Amino acid sequence: SQHIADLPQAGMLDIKSSLYDLAKMRFPGVIMLREHFRCLPEIIEFSNRLCYEGAILPLREQPADPSWRSVIDVHLTDGFREPGTDTNPVEAAFIVDKVAELCADPAYDGKTFGVISMLADAQAELIERRLVERLGEKEMELRRIRCGNAYHFQGDERDVMFISLVVAAGEGRRIGAMTREPDRQRMNVAASRARDQLWCVRSVALDDLHPDDVRNQFIRHCQHPGLVDQATAEAEATFDSDFERDVFRKITARGYRVKTQHR
């Protein structure tokens, strides 16, 4: 209302939508830009299969340091959701400690950090308060540390991102499944904000979540981020054309295994 009052259909632009959403409505027949330069291949592969049928072509090289882990899964078995607050103090404490540790690590000099809560804003607010107390506002600004939900990071990025799932088993109630298209889009945004390193911080096991829950799929990817990439790379090395590669990616995106160069 303040800065782009003349934007057509401005009333449809809110915290849960984007200029891209408005453009798709006004201009059908979208041409997809397939080349991806932000995330390392292991990071973007989850979103690639979740939302883009394997059509994304990650063009960033792997980091020079072979010891660098691009995707890290952390299961905190003692984590719990605080009743009535939608916060998980165990996950919050881990993230605050880890961010402080990495800020002091020379290997992370100059790296920026972000934290996304997949449940509600309360978890992000808790983590941000504790980080300010721990690091001070100067370090927070220097590292561009920001905490919020997935929509707060729409169009934004950081070198290192932490995703806090917040939910935990044994809460006296069933964990609601995230299976709708808005859930997929929210997980897609959250999982694709990290340039160099992505941390999944959780208190739930796979068995605690419905198999179709997008968080279940995300955890599975974070547990074995390189397996799909390795298999795809080995298969694509046998292709004679881009057409073969495109067909291969379309089929594997639907969950099938492919035998290449079959006579």
Side-chain angles (χ1 to χ4, degrees), residues 190-225:
S192 60
R193 299 304 98 190
R195 297 184 69 253
D196 298 325
Q197 193 170 70
L198 175 65
W199 293 72
C200 170
V201 182
R202 59 186 174 95
S203 303
V204 288
L206 285 172
D207 292 342
D208 298 325
L209 299 170
H210 191 280
D212 294 334
D213 192 312
V214 71
R215 293 167 297 188
N216 186 301
Q217 300 173 48
F218 179 61
I219 292 170
R220 291 182 186 277
H221 172 76
C222 291
Q223 287 179 329
H224 307 288

PDB file of all heavy atoms in Angstrom, residues 190-225:
ATOM      1  N   ALA A 190      11.656 -23.544   2.578  1.00  0.00           N
ATOM      2  CA  ALA A 190      12.559 -23.717   3.715  1.00  0.00           C
ATOM      3  C   ALA A 190      13.817 -24.479   3.320  1.00  0.00           C
ATOM      4  O   ALA A 190      14.929 -24.125   3.712  1.00  0.00           O
ATOM      5  CB  ALA A 190      11.838 -24.449   4.851  1.00  0.00           C
ATOM      6  N   ALA A 191      13.646 -25.533   2.519  1.00  0.00           N
ATOM      7  CA  ALA A 191      14.764 -26.419   2.198  1.00  0.00           C
ATOM      8  C   ALA A 191      15.693 -25.856   1.142  1.00  0.00           C
ATOM      9  O   ALA A 191      16.779 -26.413   0.922  1.00  0.00           O
ATOM     10  CB  ALA A 191      14.233 -27.766   1.726  1.00  0.00           C
ATOM     11  N   SER A 192      15.312 -24.768   0.502  1.00  0.00           N
ATOM     12  CA  SER A 192      16.125 -24.231  -0.592  1.00  0.00           C
ATOM     13  C   SER A 192      16.703 -22.845  -0.302  1.00  0.00           C
ATOM     14  O   SER A 192      17.099 -22.124  -1.216  1.00  0.00           O
ATOM     15  CB  SER A 192      15.293 -24.176  -1.884  1.00  0.00           C
ATOM     16  OG  SER A 192      14.158 -23.344  -1.717  1.00  0.00           O
ATOM     17  N   ARG A 193      16.775 -22.478   0.981  1.00  0.00           N
ATOM     18  CA  ARG A 193      17.330 -21.163   1.334  1.00  0.00           C
ATOM     19  C   ARG A 193      18.833 -21.217   1.604  1.00  0.00           C
ATOM     20  O   ARG A 193      19.502 -20.181   1.615  1.00  0.00           O
ATOM     21  CB  ARG A 193      16.633 -20.601   2.579  1.00  0.00           C
ATOM     22  CG  ARG A 193      15.140 -20.369   2.470  1.00  0.00           C
ATOM     23  CD  ARG A 193      14.796 -19.459   1.324  1.00  0.00           C
ATOM     24  NE  ARG A 193      14.393 -20.217   0.148  1.00  0.00           N
ATOM     25  CZ  ARG A 193      14.226 -19.694  -1.057  1.00  0.00           C
ATOM     26  NH1 ARG A 193      14.486 -18.420  -1.249  1.00  0.00           N
ATOM     27  NH2 ARG A 193      13.836 -20.457  -2.071  1.00  0.00           N
ATOM     28  N   ALA A 194      19.376 -22.408   1.861  1.00  0.00           N
ATOM     29  CA  ALA A 194      20.797 -22.534   2.236  1.00  0.00           C
ATOM     30  C   ALA A 194      21.663 -22.615   0.996  1.00  0.00           C
ATOM     31  O   ALA A 194      21.382 -23.381   0.075  1.00  0.00           O
ATOM     32  CB  ALA A 194      21.003 -23.779   3.101  1.00  0.00           C
ATOM     33  N   ARG A 195      22.738 -21.859   0.984  1.00  0.00           N
ATOM     34  CA  ARG A 195      23.676 -21.924  -0.135  1.00  0.00           C
ATOM     35  C   ARG A 195      24.691 -23.059   0.061  1.00  0.00           C
ATOM     36  O   ARG A 195      24.966 -23.826  -0.844  1.00  0.00           O
ATOM     37  CB  ARG A 195      24.429 -20.600  -0.279  1.00  0.00           C
ATOM     38  CG  ARG A 195      23.539 -19.402  -0.599  1.00  0.00           C
ATOM     39  CD  ARG A 195      24.362 -18.140  -0.815  1.00  0.00           C
ATOM     40  NE  ARG A 195      25.134 -18.238  -2.054  1.00  0.00           N
ATOM     41  CZ  ARG A 195      26.438 -18.433  -2.107  1.00  0.00           C
ATOM     42  NH1 ARG A 195      27.142 -18.548  -0.986  1.00  0.00           N
ATOM     43  NH2 ARG A 195      27.067 -18.507  -3.268  1.00  0.00           N
ATOM     44  N   ASP A 196      25.260 -23.163   1.263  1.00  0.00           N
ATOM     45  CA  ASP A 196      26.385 -24.073   1.491  1.00  0.00           C
ATOM     46  C   ASP A 196      26.083 -25.225   2.448  1.00  0.00           C
ATOM     47  O   ASP A 196      26.690 -26.289   2.337  1.00  0.00           O
ATOM     48  CB  ASP A 196      27.587 -23.292   2.056  1.00  0.00           C
ATOM     49  CG  ASP A 196      28.085 -22.236   1.099  1.00  0.00           C
ATOM     50  OD1 ASP A 196      28.034 -22.466  -0.121  1.00  0.00           O
ATOM     51  OD2 ASP A 196      28.523 -21.158   1.556  1.00  0.00           O
ATOM     52  N   GLN A 197      25.193 -24.998   3.419  1.00  0.00           N
ATOM     53  CA  GLN A 197      24.962 -26.044   4.415  1.00  0.00           C
ATOM     54  C   GLN A 197      23.550 -25.938   4.973  1.00  0.00           C
ATOM     55  O   GLN A 197      23.080 -24.848   5.306  1.00  0.00           O
ATOM     56  CB  GLN A 197      25.978 -25.942   5.553  1.00  0.00           C
ATOM     57  CG  GLN A 197      26.022 -27.151   6.464  1.00  0.00           C
ATOM     58  CD  GLN A 197      27.209 -27.094   7.412  1.00  0.00           C
ATOM     59  OE1 GLN A 197      27.248 -26.272   8.323  1.00  0.00           O
ATOM     60  NE2 GLN A 197      28.186 -27.971   7.205  1.00  0.00           N
ATOM     61  N   LEU A 198      22.896 -27.105   5.080  1.00  0.00           N
ATOM     62  CA  LEU A 198      21.523 -27.187   5.574  1.00  0.00           C
ATOM     63  C   LEU A 198      21.471 -28.154   6.742  1.00  0.00           C
ATOM     64  O   LEU A 198      21.921 -29.297   6.630  1.00  0.00           O
ATOM     65  CB  LEU A 198      20.602 -27.664   4.452  1.00  0.00           C
ATOM     66  CG  LEU A 198      19.136 -27.935   4.813  1.00  0.00           C
ATOM     67  CD1 LEU A 198      18.437 -26.648   5.235  1.00  0.00           C
ATOM     68  CD2 LEU A 198      18.410 -28.573   3.633  1.00  0.00           C
ATOM     69  N   TRP A 199      20.914 -27.696   7.875  1.00  0.00           N
ATOM     70  CA  TRP A 199      20.765 -28.526   9.072  1.00  0.00           C
ATOM     71  C   TRP A 199      19.284 -28.816   9.291  1.00  0.00           C
ATOM     72  O   TRP A 199      18.464 -27.894   9.362  1.00  0.00           O
ATOM     73  CB  TRP A 199      21.310 -27.802  10.301  1.00  0.00           C
ATOM     74  CG  TRP A 199      22.792 -27.587  10.318  1.00  0.00           C
ATOM     75  CD1 TRP A 199      23.509 -26.705   9.551  1.00  0.00           C
ATOM     76  CD2 TRP A 199      23.745 -28.242  11.159  1.00  0.00           C
ATOM     77  NE1 TRP A 199      24.839 -26.779   9.858  1.00  0.00           N
ATOM     78  CE2 TRP A 199      25.022 -27.713  10.848  1.00  0.00           C
ATOM     79  CE3 TRP A 199      23.645 -29.223  12.159  1.00  0.00           C
ATOM     80  CZ2 TRP A 199      26.182 -28.132  11.490  1.00  0.00           C
ATOM     81  CZ3 TRP A 199      24.798 -29.644  12.801  1.00  0.00           C
ATOM     82  CH2 TRP A 199      26.052 -29.096  12.465  1.00  0.00           C
ATOM     83  N   CYS A 200      18.943 -30.092   9.427  1.00  0.00           N
ATOM     84  CA  CYS A 200      17.600 -30.504   9.842  1.00  0.00           C
ATOM     85  C   CYS A 200      17.672 -30.875  11.318  1.00  0.00           C
ATOM     86  O   CYS A 200      18.337 -31.845  11.688  1.00  0.00           O
ATOM     87  CB  CYS A 200      17.124 -31.688   9.004  1.00  0.00           C
ATOM     88  SG  CYS A 200      15.602 -32.451   9.608  1.00  0.00           S
ATOM     89  N   VAL A 201      16.992 -30.118  12.162  1.00  0.00           N
ATOM     90  CA  VAL A 201      17.008 -30.353  13.608  1.00  0.00           C
ATOM     91  C   VAL A 201      15.612 -30.815  14.007  1.00  0.00           C
ATOM     92  O   VAL A 201      14.632 -30.080  13.863  1.00  0.00           O
ATOM     93  CB  VAL A 201      17.400 -29.079  14.380  1.00  0.00           C
ATOM     94  CG1 VAL A 201      17.447 -29.361  15.878  1.00  0.00           C
ATOM     95  CG2 VAL A 201      18.749 -28.557  13.888  1.00  0.00           C
ATOM     96  N   ARG A 202      15.510 -32.040  14.518  1.00  0.00           N
ATOM     97  CA  ARG A 202      14.202 -32.639  14.761  1.00  0.00           C
ATOM     98  C   ARG A 202      14.174 -33.430  16.060  1.00  0.00           C
ATOM     99  O   ARG A 202      15.198 -33.877  16.557  1.00  0.00           O
ATOM    100  CB  ARG A 202      13.848 -33.576  13.603  1.00  0.00           C
ATOM    101  CG  ARG A 202      14.866 -34.706  13.403  1.00  0.00           C
ATOM    102  CD  ARG A 202      14.568 -35.523  12.155  1.00  0.00           C
ATOM    103  NE  ARG A 202      15.607 -36.505  11.872  1.00  0.00           N
ATOM    104  CZ  ARG A 202      15.574 -37.772  12.263  1.00  0.00           C
ATOM    105  NH1 ARG A 202      14.546 -38.217  12.986  1.00  0.00           N
ATOM    106  NH2 ARG A 202      16.538 -38.604  11.954  1.00  0.00           N
ATOM    107  N   SER A 203      12.941 -33.616  16.572  1.00  0.00           N
ATOM    108  CA  SER A 203      12.715 -34.426  17.761  1.00  0.00           C
ATOM    109  C   SER A 203      11.861 -35.638  17.451  1.00  0.00           C
ATOM    110  O   SER A 203      11.532 -36.403  18.353  1.00  0.00           O
ATOM    111  CB  SER A 203      12.033 -33.585  18.853  1.00  0.00           C
ATOM    112  OG  SER A 203      12.804 -32.440  19.172  1.00  0.00           O
ATOM    113  N   VAL A 204      11.483 -35.807  16.193  1.00  0.00           N
ATOM    114  CA  VAL A 204      10.629 -36.922  15.783  1.00  0.00           C
ATOM    115  C   VAL A 204      11.425 -37.947  14.985  1.00  0.00           C
ATOM    116  O   VAL A 204      12.398 -37.599  14.313  1.00  0.00           O
ATOM    117  CB  VAL A 204       9.441 -36.437  14.922  1.00  0.00           C
ATOM    118  CG1 VAL A 204       8.424 -35.697  15.764  1.00  0.00           C
ATOM    119  CG2 VAL A 204       9.920 -35.573  13.768  1.00  0.00           C
ATOM    120  N   ALA A 205      10.993 -39.195  15.085  1.00  0.00           N
ATOM    121  CA  ALA A 205      11.537 -40.247  14.235  1.00  0.00           C
ATOM    122  C   ALA A 205      10.651 -40.375  13.004  1.00  0.00           C
ATOM    123  O   ALA A 205       9.521 -39.866  12.969  1.00  0.00           O
ATOM    124  CB  ALA A 205      11.587 -41.572  14.996  1.00  0.00           C
ATOM    125  N   LEU A 206      11.147 -41.059  11.991  1.00  0.00           N
ATOM    126  CA  LEU A 206      10.364 -41.231  10.766  1.00  0.00           C
ATOM    127  C   LEU A 206       9.029 -41.908  11.057  1.00  0.00           C
ATOM    128  O   LEU A 206       8.000 -41.576  10.450  1.00  0.00           O
ATOM    129  CB  LEU A 206      11.165 -42.038   9.746  1.00  0.00           C
ATOM    130  CG  LEU A 206      12.296 -41.301   9.046  1.00  0.00           C
ATOM    131  CD1 LEU A 206      13.132 -42.266   8.225  1.00  0.00           C
ATOM    132  CD2 LEU A 206      11.750 -40.187   8.165  1.00  0.00           C
ATOM    133  N   ASP A 207       9.028 -42.864  11.979  1.00  0.00           N
ATOM    134  CA  ASP A 207       7.796 -43.600  12.295  1.00  0.00           C
ATOM    135  C   ASP A 207       6.740 -42.718  12.951  1.00  0.00           C
ATOM    136  O   ASP A 207       5.563 -43.092  13.009  1.00  0.00           O
ATOM    137  CB  ASP A 207       8.104 -44.790  13.206  1.00  0.00           C
ATOM    138  CG  ASP A 207       8.921 -45.865  12.496  1.00  0.00           C
ATOM    139  OD1 ASP A 207       8.949 -45.858  11.251  1.00  0.00           O
ATOM    140  OD2 ASP A 207       9.541 -46.692  13.193  1.00  0.00           O
ATOM    141  N   ASP A 208       7.148 -41.555  13.467  1.00  0.00           N
ATOM    142  CA  ASP A 208       6.195 -40.652  14.107  1.00  0.00           C
ATOM    143  C   ASP A 208       5.397 -39.840  13.095  1.00  0.00           C
ATOM    144  O   ASP A 208       4.404 -39.200  13.457  1.00  0.00           O
ATOM    145  CB  ASP A 208       6.929 -39.683  15.044  1.00  0.00           C
ATOM    146  CG  ASP A 208       7.653 -40.406  16.171  1.00  0.00           C
ATOM    147  OD1 ASP A 208       7.120 -41.429  16.637  1.00  0.00           O
ATOM    148  OD2 ASP A 208       8.738 -39.950  16.576  1.00  0.00           O
ATOM    149  N   LEU A 209       5.839 -39.836  11.837  1.00  0.00           N
ATOM    150  CA  LEU A 209       5.206 -39.020  10.807  1.00  0.00           C
ATOM    151  C   LEU A 209       4.605 -39.906   9.723  1.00  0.00           C
ATOM    152  O   LEU A 209       5.144 -40.957   9.391  1.00  0.00           O
ATOM    153  CB  LEU A 209       6.235 -38.072  10.175  1.00  0.00           C
ATOM    154  CG  LEU A 209       6.903 -37.063  11.111  1.00  0.00           C
ATOM    155  CD1 LEU A 209       8.057 -36.371  10.400  1.00  0.00           C
ATOM    156  CD2 LEU A 209       5.895 -36.035  11.604  1.00  0.00           C
ATOM    157  N   HIS A 210       3.505 -39.468   9.165  1.00  0.00           N
ATOM    158  CA  HIS A 210       2.876 -40.189   8.061  1.00  0.00           C
ATOM    159  C   HIS A 210       3.857 -40.282   6.891  1.00  0.00           C
ATOM    160  O   HIS A 210       4.597 -39.318   6.615  1.00  0.00           O
ATOM    161  CB  HIS A 210       1.611 -39.443   7.628  1.00  0.00           C
ATOM    162  CG  HIS A 210       0.750 -40.208   6.684  1.00  0.00           C
ATOM    163  ND1 HIS A 210       1.020 -40.294   5.332  1.00  0.00           N
ATOM    164  CD2 HIS A 210      -0.383 -40.941   6.884  1.00  0.00           C
ATOM    165  CE1 HIS A 210       0.102 -41.028   4.743  1.00  0.00           C
ATOM    166  NE2 HIS A 210      -0.770 -41.436   5.662  1.00  0.00           N
ATOM    167  N   PRO A 211       3.889 -41.418   6.184  1.00  0.00           N
ATOM    168  CA  PRO A 211       4.837 -41.559   5.071  1.00  0.00           C
ATOM    169  C   PRO A 211       4.709 -40.479   4.008  1.00  0.00           C
ATOM    170  O   PRO A 211       5.697 -40.138   3.343  1.00  0.00           O
ATOM    171  CB  PRO A 211       4.494 -42.944   4.503  1.00  0.00           C
ATOM    172  CG  PRO A 211       3.879 -43.681   5.640  1.00  0.00           C
ATOM    173  CD  PRO A 211       3.132 -42.653   6.433  1.00  0.00           C
ATOM    174  N   ASP A 212       3.490 -39.934   3.825  1.00  0.00           N
ATOM    175  CA  ASP A 212       3.287 -38.894   2.817  1.00  0.00           C
ATOM    176  C   ASP A 212       3.545 -37.497   3.354  1.00  0.00           C
ATOM    177  O   ASP A 212       3.466 -36.517   2.596  1.00  0.00           O
ATOM    178  CB  ASP A 212       1.857 -38.960   2.266  1.00  0.00           C
ATOM    179  CG  ASP A 212       1.608 -40.239   1.482  1.00  0.00           C
ATOM    180  OD1 ASP A 212       2.577 -40.797   0.949  1.00  0.00           O
ATOM    181  OD2 ASP A 212       0.438 -40.670   1.417  1.00  0.00           O
ATOM    182  N   ASP A 213       3.838 -37.398   4.647  1.00  0.00           N
ATOM    183  CA  ASP A 213       4.134 -36.102   5.253  1.00  0.00           C
ATOM    184  C   ASP A 213       5.408 -35.550   4.625  1.00  0.00           C
ATOM    185  O   ASP A 213       6.425 -36.241   4.526  1.00  0.00           O
ATOM    186  CB  ASP A 213       4.317 -36.271   6.768  1.00  0.00           C
ATOM    187  CG  ASP A 213       4.331 -34.944   7.511  1.00  0.00           C
ATOM    188  OD1 ASP A 213       5.051 -34.017   7.070  1.00  0.00           O
ATOM    189  OD2 ASP A 213       3.652 -34.837   8.540  1.00  0.00           O
ATOM    190  N   VAL A 214       5.370 -34.290   4.206  1.00  0.00           N
ATOM    191  CA  VAL A 214       6.524 -33.692   3.536  1.00  0.00           C
ATOM    192  C   VAL A 214       7.731 -33.628   4.465  1.00  0.00           C
ATOM    193  O   VAL A 214       8.881 -33.677   4.019  1.00  0.00           O
ATOM    194  CB  VAL A 214       6.146 -32.299   2.997  1.00  0.00           C
ATOM    195  CG1 VAL A 214       5.966 -31.293   4.131  1.00  0.00           C
ATOM    196  CG2 VAL A 214       7.180 -31.811   1.999  1.00  0.00           C
ATOM    197  N   ARG A 215       7.503 -33.581   5.779  1.00  0.00           N
ATOM    198  CA  ARG A 215       8.615 -33.602   6.722  1.00  0.00           C
ATOM    199  C   ARG A 215       9.290 -34.963   6.742  1.00  0.00           C
ATOM    200  O   ARG A 215      10.513 -35.063   6.931  1.00  0.00           O
ATOM    201  CB  ARG A 215       8.118 -33.219   8.131  1.00  0.00           C
ATOM    202  CG  ARG A 215       7.662 -31.770   8.244  1.00  0.00           C
ATOM    203  CD  ARG A 215       6.906 -31.512   9.529  1.00  0.00           C
ATOM    204  NE  ARG A 215       5.672 -32.295   9.575  1.00  0.00           N
ATOM    205  CZ  ARG A 215       4.735 -32.160  10.515  1.00  0.00           C
ATOM    206  NH1 ARG A 215       4.911 -31.267  11.485  1.00  0.00           N
ATOM    207  NH2 ARG A 215       3.640 -32.900  10.492  1.00  0.00           N
ATOM    208  N   ASN A 216       8.506 -36.026   6.568  1.00  0.00           N
ATOM    209  CA  ASN A 216       9.062 -37.366   6.476  1.00  0.00           C
ATOM    210  C   ASN A 216       9.988 -37.455   5.267  1.00  0.00           C
ATOM    211  O   ASN A 216      11.114 -37.981   5.363  1.00  0.00           O
ATOM    212  CB  ASN A 216       7.919 -38.386   6.351  1.00  0.00           C
ATOM    213  CG  ASN A 216       8.397 -39.828   6.392  1.00  0.00           C
ATOM    214  OD1 ASN A 216       9.197 -40.261   5.580  1.00  0.00           O
ATOM    215  ND2 ASN A 216       7.888 -40.582   7.355  1.00  0.00           N
ATOM    216  N   GLN A 217       9.552 -36.932   4.143  1.00  0.00           N
ATOM    217  CA  GLN A 217      10.373 -36.938   2.931  1.00  0.00           C
ATOM    218  C   GLN A 217      11.644 -36.116   3.126  1.00  0.00           C
ATOM    219  O   GLN A 217      12.715 -36.497   2.653  1.00  0.00           O
ATOM    220  CB  GLN A 217       9.559 -36.394   1.764  1.00  0.00           C
ATOM    221  CG  GLN A 217       8.305 -37.191   1.447  1.00  0.00           C
ATOM    222  CD  GLN A 217       7.446 -36.513   0.409  1.00  0.00           C
ATOM    223  OE1 GLN A 217       7.924 -36.069  -0.630  1.00  0.00           O
ATOM    224  NE2 GLN A 217       6.161 -36.408   0.685  1.00  0.00           N
ATOM    225  N   PHE A 218      11.508 -34.990   3.812  1.00  0.00           N
ATOM    226  CA  PHE A 218      12.663 -34.120   4.053  1.00  0.00           C
ATOM    227  C   PHE A 218      13.701 -34.815   4.932  1.00  0.00           C
ATOM    228  O   PHE A 218      14.905 -34.762   4.662  1.00  0.00           O
ATOM    229  CB  PHE A 218      12.196 -32.817   4.705  1.00  0.00           C
ATOM    230  CG  PHE A 218      13.299 -31.855   5.021  1.00  0.00           C
ATOM    231  CD1 PHE A 218      14.102 -31.329   4.020  1.00  0.00           C
ATOM    232  CD2 PHE A 218      13.546 -31.474   6.347  1.00  0.00           C
ATOM    233  CE1 PHE A 218      15.131 -30.435   4.316  1.00  0.00           C
ATOM    234  CE2 PHE A 218      14.561 -30.593   6.639  1.00  0.00           C
ATOM    235  CZ  PHE A 218      15.355 -30.071   5.627  1.00  0.00           C
ATOM    236  N   ILE A 219      13.237 -35.485   5.981  1.00  0.00           N
ATOM    237  CA  ILE A 219      14.157 -36.203   6.872  1.00  0.00           C
ATOM    238  C   ILE A 219      14.887 -37.294   6.101  1.00  0.00           C
ATOM    239  O   ILE A 219      16.113 -37.460   6.244  1.00  0.00           O
ATOM    240  CB  ILE A 219      13.394 -36.800   8.072  1.00  0.00           C
ATOM    241  CG1 ILE A 219      12.877 -35.688   8.984  1.00  0.00           C
ATOM    242  CG2 ILE A 219      14.300 -37.749   8.869  1.00  0.00           C
ATOM    243  CD1 ILE A 219      11.912 -36.181  10.058  1.00  0.00           C
ATOM    244  N   ARG A 220      14.166 -38.034   5.287  1.00  0.00           N
ATOM    245  CA  ARG A 220      14.796 -39.102   4.502  1.00  0.00           C
ATOM    246  C   ARG A 220      15.893 -38.546   3.594  1.00  0.00           C
ATOM    247  O   ARG A 220      16.963 -39.141   3.451  1.00  0.00           O
ATOM    248  CB  ARG A 220      13.739 -39.843   3.675  1.00  0.00           C
ATOM    249  CG  ARG A 220      12.786 -40.679   4.512  1.00  0.00           C
ATOM    250  CD  ARG A 220      11.804 -41.434   3.629  1.00  0.00           C
ATOM    251  NE  ARG A 220      10.798 -42.117   4.424  1.00  0.00           N
ATOM    252  CZ  ARG A 220      10.969 -43.304   4.986  1.00  0.00           C
ATOM    253  NH1 ARG A 220      12.123 -43.957   4.810  1.00  0.00           N
ATOM    254  NH2 ARG A 220      10.012 -43.866   5.705  1.00  0.00           N
ATOM    255  N   HIS A 221      15.617 -37.407   2.997  1.00  0.00           N
ATOM    256  CA  HIS A 221      16.639 -36.793   2.144  1.00  0.00           C
ATOM    257  C   HIS A 221      17.862 -36.390   2.959  1.00  0.00           C
ATOM    258  O   HIS A 221      19.002 -36.615   2.541  1.00  0.00           O
ATOM    259  CB  HIS A 221      16.074 -35.563   1.434  1.00  0.00           C
ATOM    260  CG  HIS A 221      17.109 -34.775   0.702  1.00  0.00           C
ATOM    261  ND1 HIS A 221      17.637 -35.176  -0.504  1.00  0.00           N
ATOM    262  CD2 HIS A 221      17.756 -33.618   1.023  1.00  0.00           C
ATOM    263  CE1 HIS A 221      18.550 -34.311  -0.903  1.00  0.00           C
ATOM    264  NE2 HIS A 221      18.632 -33.358   0.001  1.00  0.00           N
ATOM    265  N   CYS A 222      17.621 -35.796   4.129  1.00  0.00           N
ATOM    266  CA  CYS A 222      18.740 -35.315   4.953  1.00  0.00           C
ATOM    267  C   CYS A 222      19.564 -36.475   5.512  1.00  0.00           C
ATOM    268  O   CYS A 222      20.756 -36.303   5.785  1.00  0.00           O
ATOM    269  CB  CYS A 222      18.210 -34.450   6.100  1.00  0.00           C
ATOM    270  SG  CYS A 222      17.514 -32.875   5.544  1.00  0.00           S
ATOM    271  N   GLN A 223      18.956 -37.624   5.677  1.00  0.00           N
ATOM    272  CA  GLN A 223      19.695 -38.791   6.162  1.00  0.00           C
ATOM    273  C   GLN A 223      20.660 -39.320   5.109  1.00  0.00           C
ATOM    274  O   GLN A 223      21.753 -39.798   5.434  1.00  0.00           O
ATOM    275  CB  GLN A 223      18.721 -39.892   6.586  1.00  0.00           C
ATOM    276  CG  GLN A 223      17.985 -39.609   7.874  1.00  0.00           C
ATOM    277  CD  GLN A 223      17.018 -40.715   8.242  1.00  0.00           C
ATOM    278  OE1 GLN A 223      16.449 -41.386   7.362  1.00  0.00           O
ATOM    279  NE2 GLN A 223      16.798 -40.930   9.526  1.00  0.00           N
ATOM    280  N   HIS A 224      20.265 -39.261   3.843  1.00  0.00           N
ATOM    281  CA  HIS A 224      21.098 -39.808   2.759  1.00  0.00           C
ATOM    282  C   HIS A 224      21.098 -38.844   1.575  1.00  0.00           C
ATOM    283  O   HIS A 224      20.612 -39.181   0.490  1.00  0.00           O
ATOM    284  CB  HIS A 224      20.578 -41.177   2.325  1.00  0.00           C
ATOM    285  CG  HIS A 224      20.427 -42.151   3.451  1.00  0.00           C
ATOM    286  ND1 HIS A 224      21.500 -42.741   4.080  1.00  0.00           N
ATOM    287  CD2 HIS A 224      19.314 -42.635   4.068  1.00  0.00           C
ATOM    288  CE1 HIS A 224      21.067 -43.553   5.031  1.00  0.00           C
ATOM    289  NE2 HIS A 224      19.753 -43.506   5.054  1.00  0.00           N
ATOM    290  N   PRO A 225      21.642 -37.663   1.745  1.00  0.00           N
ATOM    291  CA  PRO A 225      21.543 -36.655   0.675  1.00  0.00           C
ATOM    292  C   PRO A 225      22.340 -36.981  -0.573  1.00  0.00           C
ATOM    293  O   PRO A 225      22.015 -36.508  -1.650  1.00  0.00           O
ATOM    294  CB  PRO A 225      22.087 -35.384   1.347  1.00  0.00           C
ATOM    295  CG  PRO A 225      23.010 -35.899   2.410  1.00  0.00           C
ATOM    296  CD  PRO A 225      22.370 -37.155   2.916  1.00  0.00           C
TER     297      PRO A 225
END
